[in-house]
């Protein structure tokens, strides 16, 4: 297992904790009726996107499905803007019109948040094509889940990406249950890292609960893609603690299973343990980090609760692209 120095462990701890606390707050606000529609939480999977971002370079792009708040925060998008979009306020990243599944930031190279299962894989491949065409040295990260891995468009994308040696890393976040069906009942091939073999795409399985393992695998995959060798598949073996969405009671798995994962494999607690054991970081220091993170999240919730709703005129914006006038 690769090791992190103290600064890397602290960075991973803080960034994963921000996602965890943000998602906990989003869950609370959904329960209070402040967030409508769908809301898919990332709690338990934080090590995947943080490890990937730790291996990325400026300009690399991220695109994902609807469990996307963690990816936004990992890309550096502001908590206020993300939470405000969840509550449908004008200060949101899509000015309150997109909600959970439709947030974008060209500045941070985040291309959504997509509600159509598997659609982001084709779009992420398109981002890779643009990078290849421009020869700009960028790599596209296309995230999708074990459920989306069975979509036909995924394999069309694999074929094109390998045919043209596009700089794309396909990140399969295998949290074992898709929308509510175990992978063993829904997938004939449950080793998702092998899904690209018929196209000649290499892949590997990764402990997606350990941020160190994620970053190490990401470095290999990104180097492969960036050097012109084509796409790479990373199957992140991870686990979501909550249901598929806030409306899912998750009765298809036992409470003991969830508790065991929390106690034995929690990505944040693993880092916390190494910080206290290997780097002698005190409980007071860790509490201070948690307090600062909670302050950021509480500020975002306060902003998202009191920010005005978008003006009715916003119904007529962002529909078509206007041509530039001379």
């Amino acid at each position: 297992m690769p090791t992190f120095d103290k600064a890397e462990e602290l960075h991973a701890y803080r960034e994963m904790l921000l996602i965890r606390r943000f998602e906990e707050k989003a869950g609370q606000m959904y329960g209070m009726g402040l967030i409508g529609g769908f809301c898919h939480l990332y709690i338990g999977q934080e090590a995947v996107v943080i490890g990937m971002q730790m291996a990325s370079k400026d300009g690399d792009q991220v695109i994902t499905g609807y469990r996307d708040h963690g990816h936004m925060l990992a890309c550096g998008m502001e908590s206020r803007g993300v939470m405000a979009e969840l509550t449908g306020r004008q200060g949101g990243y899509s000015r309150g019109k997109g909600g959970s599944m439709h947030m974008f930031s060209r500045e941070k190279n985040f291309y959504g948040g997509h509600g159509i299962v598997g659609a982001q894989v084709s779009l992420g491949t398109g981002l890779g094509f643009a990078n290849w065409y421009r020869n700009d040295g960028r790599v596209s990260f296309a995230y999708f889940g074990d459920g989306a891995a069975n979509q036909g468009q995924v394999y069309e994308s694999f074929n094109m990406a390998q045919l043209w040696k596009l700089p794309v890393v396909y990140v399969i976040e295998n949290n074992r249950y898709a929308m509510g069906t175990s992978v063993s009942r829904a997938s004939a091939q449950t080793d998702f890292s092998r899904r690209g073999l018929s196209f000649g795409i290499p892949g590997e399985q990764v402990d997606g609960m350990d941020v160190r393992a994620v970053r190490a695998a990401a470095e290999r995959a990104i180097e492969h893609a960036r050097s012109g060798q084509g796409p790479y598949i990373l199957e992140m073996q991870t686990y979501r603690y909550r249901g598929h969405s806030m409306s899912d009671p998750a009765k298809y798995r036992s409470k003991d299973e969830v508790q065991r994962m929390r106690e034995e494999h929690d990505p944040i607690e693993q880092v916390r343990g190494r910080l206290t054991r290997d780097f002698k970081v005190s409980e007071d220091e860790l509490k201070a980090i948690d307090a600062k993170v909670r302050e950021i999240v509480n500020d975002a919730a306060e902003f998202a609760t009191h920010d005005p709703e978008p003006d009715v005129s916003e119904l007529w914006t962002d529909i078509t692209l206007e041509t530039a006038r001379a």
Side-chain angles (χ1 to χ4, degrees):
M1 177 63 66
T3 58
F4 277 7
D5 60 27
K6 182 179 179 180
E8 291 168 330
E9 294 280 24
L10 285 170
H11 172 80
Y13 181 75
R14 191 263 178 196
E15 295 301 308
M16 288 194 292
L17 196 61
L18 175 62
I19 295 174
R20 178 71 58 90
R21 297 292 181 245
F22 183 96
E23 294 290 65
E24 289 170 348
K25 179 62 73 173
Q28 292 173 7
M29 295 176 71
Y30 187 94
M32 296 166 62
L34 295 171
I35 296 174
F38 295 100
C39 187
H40 304 80
L41 302 182
Y42 201 61
I43 297 174
Q45 300 182 210
E46 298 91 349
V48 176
V49 72
I50 295 303
M52 288 296 302
Q53 288 303 108
M54 290 179 75
S56 70
K57 292 184 178 179
D58 288 343
D60 291 341
Q61 303 131 326
V62 170
I63 190 167
T64 187
Y66 39 69
R67 199 178 308 281
D68 52 3
H69 316 146
H71 301 76
M72 298 170 195
L73 297 174
C75 288
M77 293 169 66
E78 293 294 329
S79 298
R80 275 188 166 198
V82 177
M83 195 69 86
E85 188 60 40
L86 291 178
T87 57
R89 307 302 173 119
Q90 67 178 15
Y93 271 97
S94 296
R95 295 196 289 279
K97 299 185 292 184
S100 181
M101 300 183 192
H102 303 97
M103 280 182 255
F104 306 84
S105 174
R106 286 289 300 275
E107 177 190 3
K108 300 298 183 181
N109 293 303
F110 180 79
Y111 289 82
H114 295 271
I116 303 302
V117 177
Q120 73 275 18
V121 181
S122 301
L123 295 171
T125 303
L127 290 170
F129 180 85
N131 296 337
W132 169 81
Y133 185 81
R134 295 171 180 146
N135 193 27
D136 56 19
R138 295 180 174 186
V139 175
S140 164
F141 306 156
Y143 291 82
F144 56 108
D146 49 285
N150 293 323
Q151 291 283 324
Q153 62 191 311
V154 171
Y155 300 94
E156 295 178 46
S157 299
F158 285 176
N159 184 60
M160 287 187 285
Q162 180 66 348
L163 187 64
W164 295 323
K165 302 297 183 187
L166 304 183
V168 184
V169 176
Y170 296 107
V171 186
I172 303 176
E173 297 193 78
N174 179 8
N175 59 28
R176 308 186 186 190
Y177 289 100
M179 284 187 67
T181 303
S182 169
V183 294
S184 62
R185 296 181 57 207
S187 298
Q189 170 57 274
T190 58
D191 183 345
F192 293 95
S193 69
R194 299 172 60 84
R195 290 298 183 94
L197 288 183
S198 63
F199 305 101
I201 302 175
E204 60 181 290
Q205 289 183 321
V206 184
D207 180 359
M209 303 299 276
D210 192 320
V211 68
R212 301 170 303 172
V214 173
R215 190 186 73 171
E219 288 174 344
R220 293 189 292 272
I222 294 168
E223 172 57 27
H224 179 94
R226 205 185 305 277
S227 63
Q229 298 179 72
Y232 202 99
I233 295 173
L234 293 175
E235 179 198 344
M236 299 294 179
Q237 297 182 319
T238 185
Y239 197 85
R240 56 172 166 77
Y241 296 163
R242 302 290 184 91
H244 172 69
S245 68
M246 286 296 296
S247 60
D248 173 19
K251 293 182 179 180
Y252 41 81
R253 60 185 182 181
S254 68
K255 292 182 179 179
D256 289 342
E257 178 183 303
V258 179
Q259 187 61 29
R260 184 169 64 253
M261 290 298 295
R262 281 184 175 272
E263 292 176 354
E264 299 177 6
H265 301 286
D266 185 81
I268 297 174
E269 288 303 315
Q270 289 186 57
V271 177
R272 182 185 180 90
R274 292 194 297 271
L275 284 169
T276 56
R277 181 182 64 250
D278 300 337
F279 298 103
K280 310 305 177 187
V281 176
S282 68
E283 286 295 326
D284 287 342
E285 290 179 83
L286 294 176
K287 288 180 180 178
I289 294 172
D290 195 6
K292 180 61 177 177
V293 166
R294 289 180 185 274
E295 181 182 324
I296 293 170
V297 171
N298 289 336
D299 171 74
E302 184 72 13
F303 175 77
T305 303
H306 296 97
D307 190 48
E309 293 184 354
D311 188 80
V312 175
S313 62
E314 279 290 347
L315 287 169
W316 311 106
T317 64
D318 304 318
I319 298 172
T320 59
L321 180 66
E322 295 184 10
T323 56
R325 294 185 175 89

